[in-house]
Amino acid sequence: ILNVEQSPQSLHVQEGDSTNFTCSFPSSNFYALHWYRWETAKSPEALFVMTLNGDEKKKGRISATLNTKEGYSYLYIKGSQPEDSATYLCAFIGRAARQLTFGSGTQLTVLP
Amino acid sequence: ETGVTQSPTHLIKTRGQQVTLRCSSQSGHNTVSWYQQALGQGPQFIFQYYREEENGRGNFPPRFSGLQFPNYSSELNVNALELDDSALYLCASSLGLPGPDYEQYFGPGTRLTVT
């Protein structure tokens, strides 16, 4: 059974703060890592697809890094806004089985 | 909007009954995956269909079964419902098998309550 862990479980920040959270995954058999944002009452939305060790992806104020050798990825949000409030999920894809194993998510609340 | 739809939105069933949940993928997407999300957990992989064949299954019993149709729709069937089956069920479609090239597009989910 694959173990994908996310921390912290939840986070409250003030508008304008920068924040980051972690996704840990098995370092062996790595194929890809996906990040999703899931707003309440909406569908999970893909943020990043990450594949190479050292990858850094950016979309507006959100960026992510990947370390496949040690098995972790960081998601950063610069200057958080209330609309960033959501649950952020990471999903590991192994080379053998092309299926997503999700972490339990980090629930971010940005207070105005 | 991801272009993936699910029906129904909510459903209440009694223990022991059977249920069918439906998903309509984006046009051209040959892969669909189904997930169960219990409260406080991330989505748990149930199974995946690729070109209408089952292509991977998570740790779920055989009473969870599925179908994928040529018109980009799919079904999740659950027999002999148990109270623990109460959860949000998500489907997700992609152009190919998930990995470096293909992200998944999720539907809004079906909330199943078993009483």
Side-chain angles (χ1 to χ4, degrees):
Chain A
I1 296 179
L2 294 173
N3 201 21
V4 180
E5 294 185 353
Q6 290 189 247
S7 62
Q9 189 174 3
S10 66
L11 195 54
H12 289 74
V13 301
Q14 290 294 135
E15 183 176 353
D17 287 350
S18 293
T19 186
N20 66 85
F21 21 93
T22 306
C23 172
S24 301
F25 52 85
S27 55
S28 62
N29 200 34
F30 175 87
Y31 196 42
L33 188 86
H34 292 190
W35 279 100
Y36 290 85
R37 173 170 59 200
W38 195 357
E39 296 178 66
T40 303
K42 293 188 177 180
S43 308
E45 171 199 357
L47 283 174
F48 303 115
V49 175
M50 309 193 74
T51 55
L52 299 174
N53 186 44
D55 248 359
E56 182 168 345
K57 299 272 177 94
K58 191 173 179 182
K59 187 183 285 189
R61 294 179 290 99
I62 305 177
S63 60
T65 60
L66 180 68
N67 184 324
T68 59
K69 292 184 178 178
E70 295 183 34
Y72 65 83
S73 176
Y74 292 140
L75 191 79
Y76 300 90
I77 303 179
K78 186 177 176 182
S80 302
Q81 300 296 309
E83 58 265 31
D84 296 328
S85 297
T87 296
Y88 291 83
L89 291 162
C90 68
F92 168 87
I93 303 170
R95 195 167 287 278
R98 298 282 293 276
Q99 61 202 37
L100 274 65
T101 301
F102 281 89
S104 53
T106 293
Q107 186 174 11
L108 174 68
T109 304
V110 182
L111 304 168
Chain B
E1 290 294 329
T2 63
V4 179
T5 59
Q6 291 186 244
S7 62
T9 307
H10 296 90
L11 198 54
I12 300 175
K13 288 285 193 178
T14 303
R15 191 170 50 184
Q17 286 187 316
Q18 179 266 341
V19 69
T20 297
L21 309 183
R22 293 182 171 83
C23 173
S24 181
S25 303
Q26 281 197 23
S27 181
H29 282 195
N30 58 20
T31 306
V32 65
S33 302
W34 284 89
Y35 299 88
Q36 180 195 68
Q37 200 225 5
L39 205 60
Q41 297 181 21
Q44 300 291 310
F45 175 75
I46 303 175
F47 45 58
Q48 178 174 272
Y49 278 78
Y50 175 62
R51 294 181 175 174
E52 301 166 44
E53 301 269 338
E54 187 177 295
N55 179 56
R57 188 177 186 91
N59 191 27
F60 282 81
R63 60 189 184 83
F64 285 77
S65 63
L67 285 170
Q68 184 187 24
F69 303 103
N71 67 351
Y72 310 115
S73 67
S74 61
E75 290 180 354
L76 165 65
N77 299 289
V78 188
N79 293 324
L81 283 166
E82 300 177 1
L83 296 179
D84 284 349
D85 296 333
S86 296
L88 180 71
Y89 289 85
L90 294 162
C91 75
S93 70
S94 55
L95 271 171
L97 290 173
D101 305 310
Y102 301 117
E103 62 197 44
Q104 291 197 322
Y105 294 82
F106 281 83
T110 293
R111 173 74 61 187
L112 173 65
T113 302
V114 182
T115 61

